[in-house]
Amino acid sequence: MIKSKNFKNTYMLGVFALLTSAILTSFSQVFYANKVQSVNPFLFTGISFFITSIYFQIFVIGKNRKYHWEISWRPLLKLNISSILAFMGFYYALKYIEPAIVSSLEMGLGPLLIILIAVIQREKTRKARWFIAIGTLLACILVIGAVFTGRSAVNIEFNIQVVIGVIASIICGLGAVLCTIYSKQLSTTGWTSSMILSKRFIGIILLSFIFTYDLIFPYLLENIVWILVVTIAGVLLPMYLLQKGIQYCESFLVMMSLCFVPVFTFFIQLLDPRLEWSMLTFLGVLLLLVFGIGSIFIERRKE
């Protein structure tokens, strides 16, 4: 009885961490998208994730925690590659597509990809999960339709850059799923959230610096205030909370909880005067919200 109660407490703590991370991430996405339309999208990733990594590295110094490199280097390498796909694809997509649509494509495809990976690994999957995953996929198709028919919140012309933006969103969705899986693997080997966050962005930092080495320092000096604010409130804290959610919840629930991000993003982005109301996008994110709430109750009932 006590064990069951403790499990429920950690489960709810994980859900709370995931939802709080989603809210903070939504605010940062809208603000960031407004700032980077005219600059290299990798400028922010290099600076922001470097600061984040340094912070968590300082945090774990002196903790005397064992990394168990003999069993953890492979999932760590895969996590770094997955993080490159997830974040660099995401920030690139934000340059060409409205934030709510980028979030919808990234988060909405996650649950289905989780199930497909489970099928490949010959793991059993409940019918309820299939229903939710297919529902989120339909919501994503609706959102993609808003982009390709010119009915999204941003008045954009259909061109190759829009196509690349959609592809980048889908790639970052795959990266997000893989990040969840490999973060979970590191957690099972004894890595804490801070240990993981201090090492998972090495690949992003290196690639970002390679692409923007001649721009990064002047850009940092001119934009230091908002970069620090967004890094702390929109990257560092949300990533820590997300890592906690991954630690306490199953991968499927983690990906479904992330479906709240485009919902929050959609309403927050209405504060941006560049964006207009889009009924098609609204219907898409509303479906994601419905299936996201449903998944939380379904996963809780299972336990």
Side-chain angles (χ1 to χ4, degrees), residues 130-151:
W130 276 105
F131 173 76
I132 290 174
I134 293 174
T136 58
L137 176 63
L138 293 175
C140 286
I141 293 174
L142 196 64
V143 169
I144 293 175
V147 177
F148 287 166
T149 59
R151 297 167 65 185

Side-chain angles (χ1 to χ4, degrees), residues 197-245:
L197 290 171
S198 69
K199 301 291 191 298
R200 68 170 288 185
F201 303 124
I202 296 174
I204 293 178
I205 294 169
L206 290 177
L207 283 180
S208 296
F209 284 176
I210 289 173
F211 287 139
T212 63
Y213 69 93
D214 57 336
L215 303 172
I216 196 164
F217 293 109
Y219 183 76
L220 175 61
L221 293 176
E222 294 178 5
N223 301 274
I224 183 65
V225 175
W226 77 261
I227 287 178
L228 286 176
V229 171
V230 174
T231 296
I232 295 171
V235 177
L236 193 153
L237 185 55
M239 287 303 303
Y240 179 79
L241 293 171
L242 177 60
Q243 204 64 53
K244 283 296 182 184

Side-chain angles (χ1 to χ4, degrees), residues 69-93:
W69 290 111
E70 67 280 2
I71 59 174
S72 61
W73 75 266
R74 286 186 179 86
L76 178 62
L77 176 62
K78 293 176 181 177
L79 178 60
N80 268 269
I81 296 173
S82 302
S83 296
I84 291 172
L85 296 177
F87 290 100
M88 300 190 83
F90 176 79
Y91 287 115
Y92 185 83

